């Protein structure tokens, strides 16, 4: 009954706007769409943006993931099986990439989709950090407010278990998104697709992000001869972006001058984000990786390595802002923009926003560099690791009346041509993650050449955070104990002991068998890349 | 002494005031230099939240503050109306004819109870009724959670009011209801005004309930305010402060309008002899 | 009080059946809307919470709440709660905030009220200014206080005036100081209300008795303690009760300022419930917490009110 009520309300909502949509959408649709757009399309292309130099890179032929998605959406529309509108719930900060035209002369992504398919795209902004909350609310109350949810990739397992999102296997088979394309697709091919979009062997999400945590530094400081000399005199080696954690800590300490408004390194230490930086230190403790769980599901964090990583993590507060524990990324970005830090670790979009001539508030434009994550020497090789964390990923709501149309939108949006065009737009948070994105000139312009290559190499050294059922609970438990260690109310030993105890409890609740299967699948995606010393 | 207290109490307010006119470089949550007073004052923060900023500095603003302001006004006003109507009626009914009702106690318990603790059933109920993300749905919750205040404030006034006037009218043959609407209520205007202001402020301030019960069309000022952040500059403190300043206008105007009655309005009738 | 007036009314009016009937009917209809609203908000939530508190239901399980019986666990949530140290710590913390903030707000409010009873130049202006914090939306207050308490922020800047070296206290990153910071925010925002209520009470104390006392040569302090304060007893109780009730639910400003952190250092009961609801998502457990709080509050408030109304009758 609840379901019925919700769906009639949805119908009511859509009919009230139907008139407007038909009026705008119909002319484009009835005369196969692209009367205006077609002028600018390259030979053999059936759709895509026009009106700017290089637009042909984002146009597609009939036998491409984008082309198939558009054709399928049109035939749904012709058969009367398409909705008037698709409602997409999305974090506030990402909407711009879909609604703002980029570059000059181009249509917006939203306009292009509506023009080509006649299906209206309705984007509902969700405050950053509230994505999962809002989705859980919609699922548990049968709210039916969205056709598509966009949430952190870590939650995919949890969401799939609720039954609130649709298994997309059938649509993937029918419309062939080619996510594993060797030239254009996900890094790591099939393995990458499985990591980002699948849960227990089925597709539940479509990745729309590349949140590989990446390191940045201030080139003006690192290349200043005075600093170089002072550093070499003190430490006996040349000042350069750090390769090991030891170097990192020394360089951070060297640049840490709070009285001059400069902190050594501002990788986050707060609840909810800080543990991604703990991960990096922890995972590189063994070769090829120090895992979180053994293959039989035993937690490995309450160990010598876990305690050592935690101890380092706590010690590193010395070269942070005194407010580090209360800073989240908005403060981190603001501080870096005002020239307040020598190094930081952030989403790969930091240079796009802060090394940006249009950003009048940034004092670091032209002074940002990127480097690979620091690591540790094991034998004659070095392990350098970063983590994949957050990463917006879109799923189709089980309450959607038109799941296929919603999926087609995601296939179109998440395929390499449209996605490259979208991620190049500086108006939002969607970051590059496909091979085609890293190579795209427009993306490289927005994200900068120096950064794009480092990101691609960082991806090769990345391990995933927890993305199986209980992810939220596992992370919360770790998080709380790490913060307790940071504030000094617990020793690193106690923090790791407590985390292990909580993890055991959570594992029992999730079901150990299910968990072991998921841990093994997750582990397959861990990087085993080694660097020379 | 009083000056010192006043000065301390003014610091956060002035901080907000100054923040609202500061350009981004001076917000300085994290930089080294602290700016007390805007060095180059600007109206950009206000322009920005109403979608008229020419600056490309800030990541797209998909929604201007206009609609949340309207949502807040509607939900808070209507919530106040619900609380005041039901509260006044119940207060009068109980003050004049009630005996042994457990309503007063129930209302106190209602106010005592943290709204957070009933949010799950409330969300489920509201979704079922189609009241999620709906100003009316929000107003009903506001009306209910502030009902106890409306009731207790008004009840003490009615208890306080001399009955002779009403009795005289009754003797002259007016009906009870007529006495209430034509004689009692007009006399209570100052009390109604100050109670309504108080209830309005409570509704207007709410963040938690709106956070959980609205998603898009009817987010209120506090919820909208939390979404004012961008990756270019972090939290948009200037814009938040500008919005905060605007949000202070309705309560301040109402406060000034009924200043005379404000003090008398909050005695809860505790002082009658 | 109402019973008193009722008796008077019966004496004054010819108590015909018609009038009584009309009054009963009117009384019923007038209280009906409030009754309905209370029932509306109470019945379903309480029954539902009672039901799901006996289950291990979480929205992550993928079944709607009415099928939560499939995860029946009896009273385990309640026994878990008894040993949930985080819950008790949050409750204790809320209590600490209460016993620190309420007296400070009361004393500040009372002091200010004493000053404002007498006329002095600029009183109106001072008076209006003092009330401003109450009118500031708590959400924005949360952001402003977050900035005020940064290590390079205005609070430390002001403190530096009194110290030889620059003060760089990281208020919000320090487990013990963070609580001080959020309490400061609450005191700032709600002392004005305390002041307003107490001022109202103080103004209404009849002047004649005070004048008599002055003539008898009583000191100001003596007059204040023996005449003014006793007469304000009820309003003082009301003022304290209002703030106690509201602080018990403290959330908005605090949550925006610290999110309950660092760690759990400022996690009050509402923040704790919020986190269990939105992050841990164990809703059966949340229901158990809610019911326990409801029961405790009912007992406490019923007791408090019966004591208070007894007191009122004696008076």
């Amino acid at each position: 009954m609840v379901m019925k009520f919700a769906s009639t309300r949805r119908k009511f909502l859509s009919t009230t706007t139907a008139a407007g949509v038909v009026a705008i959408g119909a002319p484009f649709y009835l005369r196969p769409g692209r009367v205006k757009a077609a002028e600018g399309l390259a030979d053999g292309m059936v759709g895509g943006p026009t009106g700017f130099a290089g637009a042909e890179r984002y146009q597609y032929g009939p036998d491409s993931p984008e082309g198939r998605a558009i054709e399928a959406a049109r035939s749904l529309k012709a058969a009367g099986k398409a909705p008037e509108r698709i409602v997409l719930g999305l974090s506030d900060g990402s909407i711009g990439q879909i609604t703002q035209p980029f570059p000059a002369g181009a249509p917006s992504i939203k306009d292009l989709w509506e023009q080509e398919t006649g299906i209206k795209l309705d984007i509902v902004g969700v405050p950053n950090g509230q994505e999962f909350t809002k989705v859980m609310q919609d699922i548990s109350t049968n709210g039916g407010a969205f056709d598509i949810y966009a949430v952190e990739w870590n939650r995919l397992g949890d969401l799939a278990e609720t039954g609130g999102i649709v298994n997309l296997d059938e649509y993937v088979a029918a419309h062939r998104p080619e996510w594993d394309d060797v030239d254009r697709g996900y890094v790591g091919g099939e393995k990458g697709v499985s990591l980002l979009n699948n849960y227990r062997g089925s597709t539940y999400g479509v990745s729309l992000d590349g949140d590989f945590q990446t390191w940045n530094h201030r080139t003006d400081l690192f290349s200043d001869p005075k600093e170089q000399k002072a550093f070499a005199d003190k430490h006996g080696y040349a000042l350069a972006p750090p390769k090991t954690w030891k170097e990192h800590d020394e360089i951070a300490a060297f640049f840490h001058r709070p009285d001059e408004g400069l902190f050594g390194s501002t990788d986050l230490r707060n609840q909810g984000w800080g543990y991604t930086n703990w991960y990096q230190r922890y995972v590189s403790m063994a070769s090829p990786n120090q895992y979180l769980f053994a293959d039989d599901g035993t937690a490995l964090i309450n160990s010598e390595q876990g305690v050592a990583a935690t101890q380092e993590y706590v010690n590193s507060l010395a070269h942070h802002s005194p407010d580090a524990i209360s800073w989240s990324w908005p403060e981190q970005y603001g501080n870096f923009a005002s020239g307040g830090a020598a190094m930081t670790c952030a989403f790969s979009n930091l240079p796009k926003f802060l090394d940006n001539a249009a950003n009048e508030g940034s004092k670091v434009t032209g002074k940002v560099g990127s480097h690979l994550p620091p690591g540790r020497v094991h034998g004659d090789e070095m392990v350098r690791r970063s983590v994949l964390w957050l990463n917006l990923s879109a799923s189709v709501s089980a309450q959607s009346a038109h799941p296929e149309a919603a999926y087609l939108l995601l296939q179109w949006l998440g395929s390499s041509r449209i996605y490259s065009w979208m991620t190049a737009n500086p108006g939002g948070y969607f970051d590059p993650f496909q091979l085609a994105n890293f190579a795209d000139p427009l993306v490289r312009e927005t994200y900068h050449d120096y950064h794009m290559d480092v990101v691609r190499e960082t991806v090769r050294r990345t391990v995933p955070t927890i993305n199986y059922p209980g992810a939220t609970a596992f992370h919360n438990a770790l998080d709380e104990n790490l913060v307790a260690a940071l504030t000094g109310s617990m020793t690193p030993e106690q923090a790791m002991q407590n985390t292990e105890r909580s993890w055991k409890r959570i594992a029992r609740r999730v079901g150990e068998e299910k968990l072991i299967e998921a841990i093994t699948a997750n582990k397959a995606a861990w990087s085993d890349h080694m660097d020379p010393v | 002494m009083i000056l010192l207290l006043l000065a301390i109490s003014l610091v956060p307010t002035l901080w907000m005031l100054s923040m609202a006119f500061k350009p981004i470089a001076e917000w300085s949550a994290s930089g080294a230099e602290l700016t007390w007073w805007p060095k180059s004052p600007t109206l950009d923060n206000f322009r920005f939240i109403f979608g008229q900023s020419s600056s490309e500095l800030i990541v797209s603003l998909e929604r201007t503050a206009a609609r949340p302001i309207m949502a807040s006004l509607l939900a808070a006003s209507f919530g106040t109306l619900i609380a005041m109507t039901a509260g006044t009626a119940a207060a009068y009914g109980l003050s004049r004819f009630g005996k042994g009702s457990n309503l007063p106690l129930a209302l106190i318990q209602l106010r005592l109870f943290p709204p957070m603790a009933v949010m799950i059933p409330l969300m489920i109920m509201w979704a079922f009724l189609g009241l999620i993300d709906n100003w009316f749905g929000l107003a009903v919750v506001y009306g209910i959670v502030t009902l106890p205040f409306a009731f207790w404030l008004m009840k003490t006034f009615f208890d306080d009011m001399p009955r002779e006037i009403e009795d005289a009218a009754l003797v002259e043959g007016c009906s009870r209801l007529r006495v209430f609407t034509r004689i009692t209520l007009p006399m209570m205007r100052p009390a109604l005004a100050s109670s309504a202001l108080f209830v309005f402020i409570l509704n207007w301030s709410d963040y938690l309930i709106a956070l959980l019960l609205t998603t898009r069309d009817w987010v209120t000022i506090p919820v909208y305010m939390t979404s004012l952040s961008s990756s270019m500059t972090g939290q948009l403190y200037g814009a938040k402060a500008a919005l905060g300043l605007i949000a202070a206008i309705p309560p301040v105007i109402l406060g000034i309008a009924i200043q005379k009655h404000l003090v008398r309005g909050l005695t809860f009738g505790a002082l009658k002899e | 009080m109402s019973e008193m007036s009722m008796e008077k009314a019966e004496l004054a009016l010819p108590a015909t059946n018609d009038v009584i009937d009309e009054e009963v009917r009117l009384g019923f209809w007038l209280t009906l809307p409030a009754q309905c609203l209370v029932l509306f908000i109470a019945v379903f939530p309480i029954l539902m919470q009672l039901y799901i508190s006996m289950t291990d239901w979480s929205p992550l399980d993928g079944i709607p709440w009415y099928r939560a019986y499939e995860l029946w666990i009896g009273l385990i949530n309640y026994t878990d709660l008894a040993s949930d140290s985080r819950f008790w710590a949050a409750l204790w913390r809320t209590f600490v905030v209460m016993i620190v903030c309420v007296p400070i707000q009361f004393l500040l409010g009372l002091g200010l009220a004493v000053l404002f009873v007498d006329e002095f130049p600029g009183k109106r202006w001072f008076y209006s200014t003092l009330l401003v914090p109450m009118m500031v939306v708590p959400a924005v207050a949360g952001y402003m206080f977050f900035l005020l308490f940064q290590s390079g922020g205005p609070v430390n800047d002001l403190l530096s005036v009194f110290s030889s070296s620059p003060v760089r206290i990281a208020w919000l990153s320090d487990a013990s100081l963070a609580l001080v910071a959020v309490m400061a925010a609450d005191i700032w925002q709600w002392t004005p209300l305390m002041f307003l209520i107490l001022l109202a009470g103080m103004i209404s104390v009849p002047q004649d008795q005070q004048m008599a006392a002055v003539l008898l040569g009583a000191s100001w302090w003596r007059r204040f303690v023996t005449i003014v304060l006793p007469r304000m007893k009820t309003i003082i109780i009301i003022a304290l009760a209002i703030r106690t009730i509201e602080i018990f639910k403290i959330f908005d400003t605090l949550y925006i300022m610290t999110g309950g952190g660092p760690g759990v250092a400022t996690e009050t009961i509402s923040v704790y419930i919020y986190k269990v609801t939105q992050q841990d998502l164990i809703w059966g457990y949340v229901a158990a917490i809610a019911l326990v709080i409801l029961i405790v509050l009912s007992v406490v408030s019923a007791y408090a009110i019966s004591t208070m109304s007894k007191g009122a009758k004696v008076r």
Side-chain angles (χ1 to χ4, degrees), chain A residues 347-412:
Chain A
F347 294 126
S348 57
N349 59 25
L350 185 138
K352 143 165 137 177
F353 292 128
L354 304 186
D355 187 1
N356 180 339
N359 185 347
E360 302 155 23
S362 175
K363 294 179 187 158
V364 296
T365 303
K367 301 173 185 170
V368 183
S370 313
H371 59 276
L372 291 174
R376 293 177 209 282
V377 178
H378 296 278
D380 51 4
E381 287 177 314
M382 191 150 61
V383 179
R384 308 177 76 161
R385 292 290 176 263
S386 178
V387 292
L388 174 67
W389 154 245
L390 202 90
N391 211 65
L392 275 184
S393 152
S395 300
V396 177
S397 164
Q399 297 171 66
S400 169
H402 301 276
E404 185 164 15
Y407 167 77
L408 290 170
L409 168 65
L410 291 181
Q411 171 166 331
W412 182 75

Side-chain angles (χ1 to χ4, degrees), chain A residues 95-437:
Chain A
I95 298 176
Q97 275 173 312
I98 299 186
T99 57
Q100 290 174 351
F102 177 85
S108 73
I109 300 232
K110 175 174 145 69
D111 289 344
L112 184 66
W113 165 264
E114 291 179 351
Q115 216 173 85
E116 293 199 356
T117 63
I119 301 171
K120 194 169 155 30
L121 176 55
D122 193 359
I123 305 171
V124 178
V126 179
N128 296 308
Q130 289 285 320
E131 296 91 352
F132 185 61
T133 308
K134 286 289 170 203
V135 168
M136 281 318 300
Q137 202 175 317
D138 193 67
I139 291 175
S140 58
T141 62
N142 278 312
F146 310 98
D147 291 298
I148 300 174
Y149 304 127
V151 290
E152 303 100 294
W153 150 88
N154 298 71
R155 322 270 200 181
L156 207 58
D158 272 337
L159 277 187
E161 289 288 334
T162 66
I165 57 176
V166 176
N167 180 330
L168 301 173
D169 285 349
E170 179 197 335
Y171 306 133
V172 169
H175 304 293
R176 291 177 291 131
E178 295 171 8
W179 289 317
D180 55 355
D181 188 287
V182 278
D183 299 320
R184 310 189 53 92
Y186 292 17
V187 178
E190 212 173 306
K191 225 167 93 174
V193 177
S194 144
L195 171 69
L196 290 174
N197 295 355
N198 294 5
Y199 170 66
R200 297 184 92 188
S202 290
T203 306
Y204 281 95
V206 178
S207 174
L208 292 179
D209 210 344
D211 285 339
F212 307 96
Q213 303 298 312
T214 314
W215 284 87
N216 295 105
H217 61 268
R218 288 270 302 284
T219 49
D220 57 328
L221 294 175
F222 275 74
S223 61
D224 183 339
K226 269 206 317 260
E227 303 284 6
Q228 285 178 336
K229 182 166 185 317
F231 185 85
D233 288 350
K234 192 170 174 196
H235 292 288
Y237 58 93
L239 176 62
K243 292 191 187 62
T244 64
W245 284 110
K246 184 168 167 292
E247 287 178 17
H248 169 84
D249 292 340
E250 282 170 358
I251 295 170
F254 174 74
F255 279 119
H256 189 62
R257 298 157 198 170
D259 293 341
E260 298 166 29
L262 184 67
F263 302 122
S265 177
T266 54
D267 45 319
L268 292 172
R269 286 294 178 274
N270 69 329
Q271 197 151 3
W273 303 89
Y275 60 88
T276 58
N277 296 302
W278 175 88
Y279 259 102
Q280 302 191 19
R281 289 177 186 263
Y282 172 80
V283 171
S284 58
M285 281 278 174
S287 172
N289 290 296
Q290 170 70 28
Y291 294 100
L292 297 171
F293 293 96
D295 288 337
D296 63 355
T298 321
L300 298 174
I301 42 165
N302 186 16
S303 58
E304 199 186 313
Q305 290 85 352
V307 174
T310 310
Q311 186 65 55
E312 272 187 19
Y313 180 70
V314 173
N315 293 347
S316 68
L317 275 180
H319 51 244
H320 272 70
S321 159
D323 302 306
I325 301 173
S326 66
W327 275 13
S328 184
W329 65 264
E331 287 77 30
Q332 177 199 20
Y333 275 49
N335 164 275
F336 201 80
S338 69
M343 293 184 286
T344 200
C345 182
F347 294 126
S348 57
N349 59 25
L350 185 138
K352 143 165 137 177
F353 292 128
L354 304 186
D355 187 1
N356 180 339
N359 185 347
E360 302 155 23
S362 175
K363 294 179 187 158
V364 296
T365 303
K367 301 173 185 170
V368 183
S370 313
H371 59 276
L372 291 174
R376 293 177 209 282
V377 178
H378 296 278
D380 51 4
E381 287 177 314
M382 191 150 61
V383 179
R384 308 177 76 161
R385 292 290 176 263
S386 178
V387 292
L388 174 67
W389 154 245
L390 202 90
N391 211 65
L392 275 184
S393 152
S395 300
V396 177
S397 164
Q399 297 171 66
S400 169
H402 301 276
E404 185 164 15
Y407 167 77
L408 290 170
L409 168 65
L410 291 181
Q411 171 166 331
W412 182 75
L413 211 55
S415 293
S416 58
R417 292 169 190 84
I418 292 298
Y419 194 83
S420 288
W421 177 40
M422 178 162 80
T423 192
N425 186 333
Y429 300 148
F430 294 133
D431 293 327
F433 69 102
Q434 298 156 332
L435 293 168
N437 311 149

Side-chain angles (χ1 to χ4, degrees), chain C residues 96-266:
Chain C
V96 169
V97 173
M98 209 183 266
I99 56 175
V100 173
C101 288
V102 175
I104 293 182
Q105 288 170 354
F106 171 69
L107 289 176
L108 285 175
L110 191 67
L112 286 169
V114 166
L115 292 172
F116 275 84
V117 169
D118 299 319
E119 286 298 325
F120 59 88
K123 174 177 161 177
R124 260 182 89 84
W125 191 84
F126 281 120
Y127 169 75
S128 311
T129 317
L130 268 177
L131 297 186
V132 166
M134 217 170 87
M135 317 265 181
V136 173
V137 176
V140 76
Y143 287 110
M144 294 306 121
F145 272 88
F146 176 85
L147 291 178
L148 287 169
F149 280 107
Q150 288 293 298
S151 65
V155 170
N156 282 344
D157 204 44
L158 285 178
L159 290 177
S160 301
V161 176
F162 304 102
S163 141
S164 50
S165 60
V167 177
R168 289 245 178 266
I169 304 170
W171 294 90
L172 301 178
S173 295
D174 185 298
S176 46
L177 292 177
L179 201 61
V180 174
V182 300
M183 289 195 287
D186 192 78
I187 291 169
W188 171 77
Q189 186 143 41
W190 294 113
T191 298
L193 179 66
M194 198 69 114
F195 158 68
L196 201 58
I197 297 175
L198 292 173
L199 179 64
M202 212 170 276
I203 286 177
S204 321
V205 173
Q207 291 292 310
D208 48 348
Q209 290 184 4
Q210 291 213 55
M211 290 307 288
V214 171
L215 292 177
L216 289 173
S219 69
W220 177 87
W221 179 248
R222 218 181 133 68
R223 270 182 284 140
F224 185 67
V225 173
T226 55
I227 299 177
V228 180
L229 277 187
R231 291 196 161 265
M232 287 177 64
K233 192 175 135 202
T234 319
I235 202 145
I236 288 175
I237 292 175
I238 289 170
L240 292 176
I242 289 182
R243 280 316 300 153
T244 309
I245 289 174
E246 300 299 307
I247 286 188
F248 182 71
K249 303 184 292 186
I250 186 168
F251 183 87
D252 294 358
T253 312
L254 186 152
Y255 186 74
I256 286 177
M257 252 175 102
T258 67
V264 294
T266 56

Side-chain angles (χ1 to χ4, degrees), chain B residues 90 94 101-103 147, chain C residues 28 31-40:
Chain B
L94 228 62
S101 163
N102 58 0
L103 187 63
L147 175 63
Chain C
F28 172 75
T31 49
L32 188 68
Q35 301 267 24
C36 287
L37 285 173
V38 171
L39 283 182
F40 181 56

